């Protein structure tokens, strides 16, 4: 019987969903949302705070500051509350209402940026605001975009969990945001399971892998500034997913009782697309990482009017995937 003293001590690391029937391929979904933060970001938040404490950067009276589209902000709110720190999350209008309310419930202050930076978009504007705040004494920016603790958390936990659960895995699909999860898992697998193919999944409109910037409405994966953590030498393939396909996939999974977040819908859609283009590999065993659950997306991805206004009414009536073919045209 597990007994914990702080919320970040609890995290289910060995839960996988068999999506073989759904995908038409041997696909297993690693569920990372079963913890008090509700997403995989609890791992990075815990690691980055602990490292800052070891370096002496955090102490009594410190206030954490971070730019986040939602999930890391929630995770840092939880860790800050447990460690006795203040926390200011700088986000933008794409952050879901549920995430903002949860951060505030945990004692965080939330600042919402509405005007994008002229060259670096909303993310650039968020970072500029973080830098302004950190000019004050006692404010500490963990900087998830460049902090090695971000990827080290997954090198220590997520990568070994995948290798332990599926020692014969052939392909691993990992969503790319800050690329902390991607880099940590990819580094571990390269060292300990060198035969595994690492496929990064990104959103259309993200600039991470050199594609043009375009508006994105679903928070989580993708970025408007190339992440400093990214090292392409650890990535074998990249798949880009349109947000309409993300919505379709989330709703198809919900029809089977699995209500996942937008990041998870993107990763699963990317896996379906990859298998559709690599038909010879359909006998491969694949693992995809599900970063979050769907409760914070009820007013967006799962809201009929929101989805129809942005992507058309056809996303409200998604068709089941056939033998691993991608959902979109």
């Amino acid at each position: 019987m597990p007994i914990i003293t702080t919320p970040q001590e609890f995290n289910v690391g060995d839960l996988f969903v068999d999506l073989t029937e759904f995908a038409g391929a041997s696909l297993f979904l690693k569920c990372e949302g079963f913890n008090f933060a509700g997403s995989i970001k609890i791992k990075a938040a815990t690691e980055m705070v602990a490292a800052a404490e070891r370096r002496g950067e955090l102490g009594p009276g410190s206030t954490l500051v971070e730019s986040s589209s939602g999930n890391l902000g929630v995770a840092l709110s939880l860790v800050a509350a447990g460690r006795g720190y203040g926390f200011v999350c700088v986000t933008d209008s794409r952050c879901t209402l549920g995430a903002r309310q949860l951060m505030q419930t945990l004692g965080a202050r939330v600042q919402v940026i509405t005007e994008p930076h002229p060259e670096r978009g909303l993310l650039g504007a968020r970072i500029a605001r973080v830098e302004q705040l950190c000019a004050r004494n006692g404010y500490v920016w963990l900087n998830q975009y460049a902090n090695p603790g971000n990827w080290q958390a997954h090198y220590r936990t997520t990568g070994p969990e995948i290798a332990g659960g599926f020692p014969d895995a052939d392909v691993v699909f990992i969503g790319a945001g800050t690329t902390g999860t991607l880099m940590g898992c990819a580094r571990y697998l390269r060292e300990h399971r060198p035969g595994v193919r690492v496929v990064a999944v990104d959103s259309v409109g993200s600039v991470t892998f050199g594609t043009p910037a375009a508006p994105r409405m679903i928070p989580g994966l993708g970025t408007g500034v190339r992440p400093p953590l990214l090292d392409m030498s650890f990535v074998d393939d990249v798949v880009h997913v349109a947000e309409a396909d993300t919505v379709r996939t989330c709703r198809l999974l919900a029809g089977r009782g699995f209500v996942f977040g937008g990041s998870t819908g993107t990763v699963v859609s990317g896996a379906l697309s990859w298998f559709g283009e690599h038909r010879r590999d359909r006998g491969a065993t694949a693992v995809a990482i599900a970063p979050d659950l769907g409760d914070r997306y009820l007013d967006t991805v799962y809201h009929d009017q929101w989805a129809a206004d942005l992507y058309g009414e056809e996303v409200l009536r998604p068709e089941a995937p056939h033998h691993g073919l991608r959902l979109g045209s």
Side-chain angles (χ1 to χ4, degrees):
M1 179 177 66
I3 298 175
I4 63 174
T5 56
T6 61
Q8 60 265 33
E9 293 176 46
F10 175 77
N11 190 51
V12 176
D14 57 356
L15 178 61
F16 294 81
V17 174
D18 186 346
L19 291 183
T20 300
E21 181 181 352
F22 175 83
S26 184
L27 179 63
F28 298 88
L29 192 60
K30 187 179 191 307
C31 300
E32 290 282 351
F34 293 98
N35 56 66
F36 284 99
S39 82
I40 196 170
K41 293 295 188 178
I42 190 63
K43 293 177 173 178
T46 302
E47 180 71 25
M48 289 190 296
V49 169
E53 289 175 334
R54 290 193 297 269
R55 293 191 300 268
E57 296 173 0
L58 291 174
S62 294
T63 297
L64 298 171
V65 184
E66 188 56 87
S67 159
S68 170
S69 61
N71 282 339
L72 182 70
V74 172
L76 282 173
S77 298
L78 183 150
V79 174
R83 304 293 291 173
Y85 302 126
F87 175 53
V88 179
C89 180
V90 180
T91 187
D92 59 56
S93 53
R94 294 171 298 183
C95 181
T96 66
L97 177 62
R100 294 200 303 268
Q101 290 177 330
L102 185 50
M103 285 188 273
Q104 291 167 338
T105 298
L106 288 165
R109 287 176 285 157
V110 180
Q111 296 191 7
V112 180
I113 300 298
T114 57
E115 294 296 326
H117 186 279
E119 297 176 355
R120 296 181 292 157
L122 285 168
L123 177 57
R126 280 164 32 190
I127 292 175
R129 179 56 180 154
V130 167
E131 291 171 342
Q132 290 175 352
L133 288 168
C134 287
R136 306 175 185 178
N137 289 333
Y139 281 64
V140 178
W141 180 24
L142 295 174
N143 191 3
Q144 63 163 324
Y145 310 103
N147 192 320
N150 191 345
W151 69 261
Q152 289 168 356
H154 301 287
Y155 182 91
R156 289 195 308 102
T157 60
T158 316
E161 289 162 2
I162 292 171
F166 287 87
D168 298 323
D170 301 296
V171 187
V172 177
F173 297 96
I174 309 170
T178 63
T179 69
T181 304
L182 173 63
M183 288 294 96
C185 291
R187 281 185 165 91
Y188 182 88
L189 293 171
R190 178 69 59 84
E191 292 180 17
H192 300 275
R193 297 288 190 275
V196 174
R197 196 168 188 173
V198 173
V199 180
V201 182
D202 198 11
S203 299
V204 170
S206 167
V207 305
T208 300
F209 298 99
T211 50
R216 292 173 292 110
M217 298 304 298
I218 300 175
L221 301 185
T223 184
V225 179
R226 193 174 191 271
L229 295 177
L230 177 62
D231 184 340
M232 282 298 297
S233 69
F234 291 96
V235 178
D236 297 300
D237 289 316
V238 178
V239 178
H240 284 88
V241 174
E243 289 192 334
D245 284 344
T246 293
V247 174
R248 292 187 184 101
T249 305
C250 284
R251 286 168 170 256
L252 283 168
L253 289 167
R256 293 172 175 247
F258 295 110
V259 182
F260 288 108
S263 297
T264 299
T266 301
V267 172
V268 174
S269 181
L272 297 179
S273 176
W274 189 90
F275 274 114
E277 295 173 4
H278 296 78
R279 296 173 184 271
R280 292 178 301 175
D281 294 311
R282 289 197 187 175
T285 297
V287 176
I289 296 177
D292 54 1
L293 301 179
D295 54 316
R296 291 173 202 156
Y297 297 82
L298 298 179
D299 57 343
T300 55
V301 170
Y302 296 104
H303 190 286
D304 286 356
Q305 193 63 57
W306 184 92
D309 286 348
L310 287 172
Y311 310 110
E313 292 191 358
E314 60 271 17
V315 301
L316 307 182
R317 299 178 296 275
E319 296 182 1
H322 298 289
H323 307 298
L325 295 176
R326 70 174 298 169
L327 295 165
S329 58

